[in-house]
Amino acid sequence: MHLLCRMVCEDVPAETMYDVLHDTEYRWRWDTNVIDTFDIGKLTVNADVGYYSWKCPRPLRYRDVVTLRSWLPMGNDYIIMNYSVKHSKYPPRKDMVRAISIQTGYMIQSQGPNRCTLVYLAQVDPRGSLPKWVVNKSSQLLAPRVLKKIHKASLKYSDWKKKHNPCFKPWLFPEQNTLPSIPLSELSIQRAESLEKIDESDVIEQLEKEDSD
């Protein structure tokens, strides 16, 4: 799945949107698809490893990923990127399909004191045995919704953050990061061929039936 979306926000500063995309605690407030998300450990002051699982539209099976994420502030602009890795303590789960992020991320470009542009890039292999039309149809529906959710969440973030550890932003202040360090030797790039192929033929039949109705 290859996806590139862009959204202009007339009422959100770039730094606020950057905080929203980083703040794992706040994600539970706005991401209605999340099942579980947490940071596993850090590699450097601007790179960590995390776990994320999410609900897919029925009747698709739920997905999860383990990713290495890095971020870079560039003046008033920001980049956050990730790709899938293998970690021995977080193998694929039996109740989910382990997806692969080939390259996924955000670029936030400041357009003034209270205006920014959000660019979302996703190169993802959802795995399973889904035909391309199912993947494309799902991504075309979900991506714009996600961007709208991020925008709405950004509008409410400042008020929420004032009541929830307002000074805690380890993505800006590395000295606040208490995650355990992970040696790079414990990680490897997640390859599609090393994952079990999950049979979703019953799902495909149901989707094809719904599409033809």
Side-chain angles (χ1 to χ4, degrees):
M1 179 182 74
H2 299 266
L3 193 62
L4 181 64
C5 297
R6 180 177 179 272
M7 176 178 65
V8 177
C9 301
E10 303 285 353
D11 45 10
V12 176
E15 59 267 25
T16 298
M17 186 161 287
Y18 182 64
D19 288 347
V20 168
L21 292 171
H22 267 291
D23 200 322
T24 303
E25 184 182 358
Y26 187 58
R27 186 161 198 135
W28 291 96
R29 306 279 297 185
W30 63 267
D31 188 350
T32 55
N33 294 317
V34 65
I35 298 173
D36 197 7
T37 182
F38 54 86
D39 299 324
I40 296 171
K42 62 185 177 183
L43 291 169
T44 66
V45 295
N46 67 328
D48 61 18
V49 176
Y51 174 85
Y52 178 72
S53 57
W54 69 97
K55 304 171 188 173
C56 294
R58 293 182 62 190
L60 303 182
R61 292 183 63 174
Y62 295 164
R63 259 70 178 171
D64 70 351
V65 288
V66 174
T67 59
L68 190 160
R69 177 183 62 165
S70 59
W71 55 93
L72 181 65
M74 302 180 297
N76 294 322
D77 301 336
Y78 306 89
I79 291 178
I80 305 172
M81 297 298 296
N82 74 62
Y83 61 89
S84 283
V85 293
K86 292 172 66 174
H87 192 297
S88 60
K89 294 182 180 178
Y90 300 90
R93 292 171 46 168
K94 295 295 184 181
D95 58 335
M96 292 188 181
V97 176
R98 177 61 52 91
I100 296 177
S101 169
I102 301 168
Q103 186 176 47
T104 303
Y106 303 91
M107 174 181 284
I108 308 162
Q109 299 171 306
S110 177
Q111 305 292 340
N114 201 43
R115 186 175 187 269
C116 70
T117 298
L118 174 63
V119 179
Y120 173 57
L121 166 71
Q123 290 181 282
V124 178
D125 182 351
R127 302 300 296 157
S129 52
L130 300 175
K132 286 186 177 180
W133 73 266
V134 173
V135 176
N136 292 335
K137 186 175 182 180
S138 298
S139 61
Q140 289 168 7
L141 292 172
L142 289 176
R145 293 178 187 173
V146 171
L147 294 186
K148 289 178 181 178
K149 284 183 180 179
I150 294 171
H151 176 226
K152 188 176 180 179
S154 298
L155 293 172
K156 299 178 180 180
Y157 181 71
S158 295
D159 288 339
W160 178 88
K161 190 61 177 174
K162 289 176 184 177
K163 303 174 184 177
H164 300 81
N165 296 319
C167 297
F168 183 71
K169 295 183 179 182
W171 52 93
L172 297 178
F173 310 111
E175 65 275 11
Q176 296 179 348
N177 194 331
T178 58
L179 290 172
S181 295
I182 299 178
L184 195 58
S185 59
E186 291 186 5
L187 305 173
S188 59
I189 296 176
Q190 179 68 74
R191 305 290 185 184
E193 55 269 21
S194 68
L195 292 171
E196 178 186 359
K197 187 171 183 180
I198 307 297
D199 183 13
E200 292 182 290
S201 55
D202 55 331
V203 172
I204 296 171
E205 291 174 2
Q206 184 173 341
L207 287 170
E208 288 177 338
K209 181 179 179 181
E210 291 175 356
D211 194 59
S212 62
D213 288 345

